[in-house]
Amino acid sequence: MTDPLPPIQTTARDDAVLKALAGFVRQEGLGPGEKLPTERILAERLKVSRNTVREALTRWEGLGLVERRQGSGTYLKAAVSPDMLHMPLTLAGGNDFAGLMRTLEIRRALEAEAAALCAVRAGKAEVAEIERKLDIMEEAFHSAGMSSEEDWEFHQSVYRASGNPLFEQIISAMHELFHRFWEHPLGVRDFGHASFPYHRTIFDRIAAHDPEGARAEALKLIATVENDLKRGAANLKLLDRK
């Protein structure tokens, strides 16, 4: 049998490593949730340094393809193949009102369509997982008054169940930018409280396999976020006048 990780003889080493890793994953039949070999083993098979392998895995991590768990290893999060295109994503962020609104426009499009597709495609297991993440999020919100990480996990479960891995990959690449919404943007300390009930209504529409209803509830959630941002911007204007 041909070695799935032959020594690489190319100047485009980084891309070749990624392609070889994807070939290995396919040949070994590894799927999302399964663990990759250690960096040392991969480096030995590829005849490259562990640092080269580490950099390749870092690129995959940035694309949302793998997850590194401290003390455990690297786990595949999405399906990969040797013919994948690795596209860089450069984001102009910022905690100013204009920057946050630009980010929100992207999130509105992704959230609404992912929720609709999820309502069509999610099976019993996926619906149960989304509900599990929702329960965890609601418990965190009621006990601590906020649930940023749990909220993120809930939305990730919806993206994952949409049946299109690009949703999760794009969202993962934009994680840092989206996460700024939870850091009291524009001084709104109760940011996200108004959006809280819509997580449950989105789930209800997904569980009912109602794509238009799921899309509508997702848009309502984003509308509350927009209102929070506008409220924060108005408060800042008042402060500037004083």
Side-chain angles (χ1 to χ4, degrees), residues 115-166:
L117 289 173
C118 184
V120 173
R121 297 171 177 173
K124 289 183 179 179
E126 288 82 8
V127 171
E129 177 63 8
I130 295 169
E131 185 173 27
R132 186 179 74 84
K133 296 292 188 181
L134 175 61
D135 289 341
I136 293 172
M137 190 207 80
E138 290 178 338
E139 182 179 353
F141 183 87
H142 289 307
S143 63
M146 63 179 297
S147 53
S148 58
E149 288 302 325
E150 294 81 5
D151 180 281
W152 177 256
E153 289 295 326
F154 167 78
H155 289 287
Q156 284 285 85
S157 68
V158 173
Y159 300 136
R160 197 171 296 126
S162 72
N164 186 337
L166 288 176

Side-chain angles (χ1 to χ4, degrees), residues 83-184:
D83 56 353
M84 287 190 311
L85 294 176
H86 300 278
M87 298 182 295
L89 186 61
T90 301
L91 304 170
N95 283 340
D96 62 299
F97 179 73
L100 290 171
M101 288 299 292
R102 284 193 294 269
T103 303
L104 191 63
E105 289 173 356
I106 299 301
R107 185 175 176 185
R108 178 183 288 111
L110 294 171
E111 292 277 357
E113 194 58 27
L117 289 173
C118 184
V120 173
R121 297 171 177 173
K124 289 183 179 179
E126 288 82 8
V127 171
E129 177 63 8
I130 295 169
E131 185 173 27
R132 186 179 74 84
K133 296 292 188 181
L134 175 61
D135 289 341
I136 293 172
M137 190 207 80
E138 290 178 338
E139 182 179 353
F141 183 87
H142 289 307
S143 63
M146 63 179 297
S147 53
S148 58
E149 288 302 325
E150 294 81 5
D151 180 281
W152 177 256
E153 289 295 326
F154 167 78
H155 289 287
Q156 284 285 85
S157 68
V158 173
Y159 300 136
R160 197 171 296 126
S162 72
N164 186 337
L166 288 176
F167 277 111
E168 188 179 3
Q169 290 174 36
I170 292 171
I171 288 294
S172 293
M174 300 178 75
H175 175 269
E176 182 180 352
L177 192 56
F178 282 163
H179 203 66
R180 293 178 187 176
F181 281 120
W182 290 99
E183 297 174 352
H184 305 313

Side-chain angles (χ1 to χ4, degrees), residues 7-234:
I8 293 174
Q9 307 293 333
T10 175
T11 56
R13 181 155 296 220
D14 287 347
D15 288 337
V17 170
L18 292 172
K19 187 173 183 178
L21 285 173
F24 168 79
V25 168
R26 171 180 283 183
Q27 185 158 330
E28 293 297 308
L30 296 175
E34 295 189 85
K35 185 177 180 179
L36 294 177
T38 65
E39 291 177 0
R40 179 182 61 80
I41 292 174
L42 291 173
E44 289 175 353
R45 298 283 294 277
L46 286 167
K47 308 300 183 192
V48 297
S49 69
R50 290 178 64 177
N51 189 56
T52 298
V53 171
R54 189 175 300 115
E55 290 175 358
L57 291 175
T58 297
R59 286 181 65 186
W60 269 14
E61 186 178 29
L63 292 167
L65 298 176
V66 296
E67 177 185 8
R68 284 165 162 168
R69 302 176 190 171
Q70 183 145 11
S72 179
T74 302
Y75 292 79
L76 196 65
K77 289 182 63 179
V80 298
S81 67
D83 56 353
M84 287 190 311
L85 294 176
H86 300 278
M87 298 182 295
L89 186 61
T90 301
L91 304 170
N95 283 340
D96 62 299
F97 179 73
L100 290 171
M101 288 299 292
R102 284 193 294 269
T103 303
L104 191 63
E105 289 173 356
I106 299 301
R107 185 175 176 185
R108 178 183 288 111
L110 294 171
E111 292 277 357
E113 194 58 27
L117 289 173
C118 184
V120 173
R121 297 171 177 173
K124 289 183 179 179
E126 288 82 8
V127 171
E129 177 63 8
I130 295 169
E131 185 173 27
R132 186 179 74 84
K133 296 292 188 181
L134 175 61
D135 289 341
I136 293 172
M137 190 207 80
E138 290 178 338
E139 182 179 353
F141 183 87
H142 289 307
S143 63
M146 63 179 297
S147 53
S148 58
E149 288 302 325
E150 294 81 5
D151 180 281
W152 177 256
E153 289 295 326
F154 167 78
H155 289 287
Q156 284 285 85
S157 68
V158 173
Y159 300 136
R160 197 171 296 126
S162 72
N164 186 337
L166 288 176
F167 277 111
E168 188 179 3
Q169 290 174 36
I170 292 171
I171 288 294
S172 293
M174 300 178 75
H175 175 269
E176 182 180 352
L177 192 56
F178 282 163
H179 203 66
R180 293 178 187 176
F181 281 120
W182 290 99
E183 297 174 352
H184 305 313
L186 307 178
V188 179
R189 295 196 172 274
D190 62 346
F191 176 82
H193 287 208
S195 72
F196 175 74
Y198 292 106
H199 294 79
R200 175 62 64 176
T201 58
I202 290 171
F203 167 75
D204 288 342
R205 293 301 87 212
I206 288 173
H209 300 291
D210 175 9
E212 292 307 316
R215 181 185 284 110
E217 295 304 310
L219 290 174
K220 290 176 185 177
L221 185 153
I222 296 300
T224 68
V225 178
E226 183 174 0
N227 288 337
D228 280 347
L229 293 178
K230 289 179 178 178
R231 180 159 53 95

